[in-house]
Structures are given as structure tokens and as C-alpha cells.
């Protein structure tokens, strides 16, 4: 069964460094998302991406964050200058155009900022 | 932001019995609701959904009930199996067609099914 994949599974970085989290959405999906879950808290929406542009973003998704679909298969989340509070699980998700609204999630990348 | 609430952090049931997980929401603009299951070190897995035009949706052992007037939904699992032990998240969305893309999640309920 097709699935969303994410790399790396765990990323450790120093505060102030740039990180790029990578995702390969399901191949016929057209909508892409990033969510995050800080330990002990809810899963929170960051951004949605469709037709090569951001379609919606949350207040969390400030200028330090950016997303890109550099080729036909990858979808990336870049954090330009990481802060301690960026430590969280980051989940990529995708959905087809025709499905009602189910978003299919990847296994996540655990980001630890030291 | 408490738009979606799962007030029970945990639930324990015996194998073979019914599990009932509850979810309340406050935003009347939500019109699509989803349940996800999550195992440790994995991403949320979609289970079942319901649109606000329905009050029940069934898929195998899983049934979701929606009470719009009470802004309440519940997930029933019958019969419960040990493999169902996981954290269950309720999520809601505004605008089924052309609305918000954002899923708003509850904090989750950890279900333990004892053999």
C-alpha cells in the first residue's frame, strides 16, 4: 500500500542552524501538508501546499519556515534558524484531489534543537 | 486553542468489549470530522470520517456517531482487540469543499485493550 515517507527519522541540530526535513508524499496526491507535535501537546497544522504554492499557513509558520517541492516527488520543510522551541515531531501529510478530506500522514521526523 | 477536546486522556477496556471514545468541538463551522489512530514512533493513521450531513458512519468494527446539536462525536470499536491499543485522535475541518485545509486535532485518548 502506498505511504508517505519522511527522512530523517531523527535530526539533532544546534540552535541557530538551518534544517531541512524531507518528505515523499503518495505519488498521485496533489495536496501536501506539514504538521508538528511538541511533546505532550496537540498535533498542530503548519502549512498546506497545492499547485506549487502555499494555500494556507498557521501563525506558527513565520518567516523562519519555508516549504518547497523541488521535483516531482519530494516536499521539504526548511527551518532557517532553529530555536529550542522548534523541538518537536514534524509530520508530513498528503491527499488526493478527489478524496473527501482524508490526509495521510508519514511516520514523522523527530527534531531536537540543542 | 481548545476547539477540539478529548476529555479522557486514557481508556482501558477488556478484549471483546466495546470501546467508546468521545470528542467535543466548539466551532460550529466545522463540517467534517476524522478519527486517527497513532502507535508510538509512527504517524497518525486515518481510521474513519464523517461529514456533518450524516449522523453515523460505519466501517467494519468502527462506527462514528455525530451529534451536531451537542457538538459531540464518538468512535465506537466493537469488538475491541489488543491490536487496537493506541492513541486515538479526533480531528475537525472547516469547509468540505474549498474551505480550510487545516485539520484541528484533539489531544488524544490512549486506549488500552486488555487480553
Amino acid at each position: 500500500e502506498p505511504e508517505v515517507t519522511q527522512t530523517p527519522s531523527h535530526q539533532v541540530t544546534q540552535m541557530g542552524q538551518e534544517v531541512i526535513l524531507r518528505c515523499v508524499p503518495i505519488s498521485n496526491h496533489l495536496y501536501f501538508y506539514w504538521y508538528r507535535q511538541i511533546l505532550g501537546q496537540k498535533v498542530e497544522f503548519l502549512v498546506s501546499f497545492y499547485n506549487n504554492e502555499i494555500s494556507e499557513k498557521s501563525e506558527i509558520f513565520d518567516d523562519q519556515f519555508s516549504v518547497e517541492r523541488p521535483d516531482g516527488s519530494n516536499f521539504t520543510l526548511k527551518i532557517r534558524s532553529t530555536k529550542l522551541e522548534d523541538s518537536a515531531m514534524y509530520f508530513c501529510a498528503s491527499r488526493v484531489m478527489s478524496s473527501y478530506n482524508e490526509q495521510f500522514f508519514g511516520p514523522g521526523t523527530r527534531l531536537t534543537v540543542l | 486553542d481548545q476547539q477540539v477536546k478529548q476529555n479522557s486522556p486514557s481508556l482501558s477496556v477488556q478484549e471483546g468489549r466495546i470501546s467508546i471514545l468521545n470528542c467535543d468541538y466548539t466551532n460550529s463551522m466545522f463540517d467534517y470530522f476524522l478519527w486517527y489512530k497513532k502507535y508510538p514512533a509512527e504517524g497518525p493513521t486515518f481510521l474513519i470520517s464523517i461529514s456533518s450531513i450524516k449522523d453515523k458512519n460505519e466501517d467494519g468494527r468502527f462506527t462514528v456517531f455525530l451529534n451536531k446539536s451537542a457538538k459531540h462525536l464518538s468512535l465506537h470499536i466493537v469488538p475491541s482487540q489488543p491490536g487496537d491499543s493506541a492513541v486515538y485522535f479526533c480531528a475537525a475541518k472547516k469547509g468540505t469543499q474549498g474551505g480550510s485545509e487545516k485539520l484541528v486535532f484533539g489531544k488524544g485518548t490512549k486506549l488500552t485493550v486488555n487480553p
Side-chain angles (χ1 to χ4, degrees), chain A residues 33 42 56 95 101-103, chain B residues 4 32 36 93 100-101:
Chain A
Y33 310 86
K42 295 183 179 185
E56 189 174 352
R95 75 168 176 94
N101 280 291
E102 299 91 76
Q103 296 175 19
Chain B
V4 177
Y32 195 71
Y36 284 85
K93 186 179 180 299
S100 171
E101 286 296 320

Side-chain angles (χ1 to χ4, degrees), chain A residues 31 33 35 37 40-45 48 55-56 58-59 89 91 95 100-108, chain B residues 1-4 32 34 36 38 41-44 46 49 51 89 93 96-97 99-103 105-107:
Chain A
Y31 289 82
Y33 310 86
Y35 289 81
Q37 186 180 27
Q41 298 187 24
K42 295 183 179 185
V43 176
E44 302 173 287
F45 170 81
S48 61
S55 52
E56 189 174 352
S58 71
E59 315 77 51
M89 280 292 288
F91 296 107
R95 75 168 176 94
Y100 226 50
N101 280 291
E102 299 91 76
Q103 296 175 19
F104 294 87
F105 285 75
Chain B
D1 181 359
Q2 290 286 314
Q3 294 188 78
V4 177
Y32 195 71
L34 308 90
Y36 284 85
K38 187 180 180 304
E42 293 185 15
F46 170 71
S49 60
S51 156
F89 292 100
K93 186 179 180 299
T96 312
Q97 295 296 334
S100 171
E101 286 296 320
K102 173 169 109 171
L103 291 181
F105 282 84
K107 285 194 88 167

Side-chain angles (χ1 to χ4, degrees), chain B:
Chain B
D1 181 359
Q2 290 286 314
Q3 294 188 78
V4 177
K5 293 183 245 191
Q6 294 176 257
N7 291 320
S8 299
S10 63
L11 174 68
S12 185
V13 299
Q14 285 299 120
E15 181 178 5
R17 306 294 290 268
I18 184 170
S19 295
I20 300 177
L21 298 111
N22 294 302
C23 178
D24 297 292
Y25 61 97
T26 56
N27 191 332
S28 57
M29 298 294 290
F30 288 145
D31 63 356
Y32 195 71
F33 305 90
L34 308 90
W35 284 94
Y36 284 85
K37 177 170 78 171
K38 187 180 180 304
Y39 295 117
E42 293 185 15
T45 301
F46 170 71
L47 266 181
I48 192 168
S49 60
I50 188 165
S51 156
S52 61
I53 61 172
K54 295 185 171 184
D55 53 22
K56 177 182 171 181
N57 189 26
E58 196 170 347
D59 183 2
R61 297 186 297 116
F62 302 92
T63 303
V64 55
F65 295 93
L66 175 62
N67 182 334
K68 286 190 294 292
S69 60
K71 293 194 178 69
H72 176 84
L73 60 155
S74 60
L75 174 69
H76 292 211
I77 306 174
V78 184
S80 302
Q81 299 172 353
D84 296 329
S85 298
V87 177
Y88 288 77
F89 292 100
C90 171
K93 186 179 180 299
K94 274 189 276 190
T96 312
Q97 295 296 334
S100 171
E101 286 296 320
K102 173 169 109 171
L103 291 181
V104 179
F105 282 84
K107 285 194 88 167
T109 297
K110 183 175 180 181
L111 174 66
T112 303
V113 180
N114 301 303

Side-chain angles (χ1 to χ4, degrees), chain A residues 11 13-22 34-36 46 60-68 76-90 109-113:
Chain A
Q11 173 93 49
T13 190
Q14 295 290 325
M15 192 169 57
Q17 294 295 303
E18 175 183 288
V19 293
I20 298 176
L21 309 183
R22 291 183 166 80
W34 285 100
Y35 289 81
R36 78 173 185 190
L46 291 178
I60 304 165
F61 194 88
D62 61 22
D63 292 343
Q64 291 299 311
F65 292 88
S66 62
V67 288
E68 194 178 34
T76 61
L77 174 70
K78 183 194 290 187
I79 309 175
R80 251 178 281 283
S81 178
T82 49
K83 307 186 198 65
L84 295 176
E85 55 265 36
D86 293 327
S87 295
M89 280 292 288
Y90 286 80
T109 292
R110 178 169 298 284
L111 177 65
T112 303
V113 182

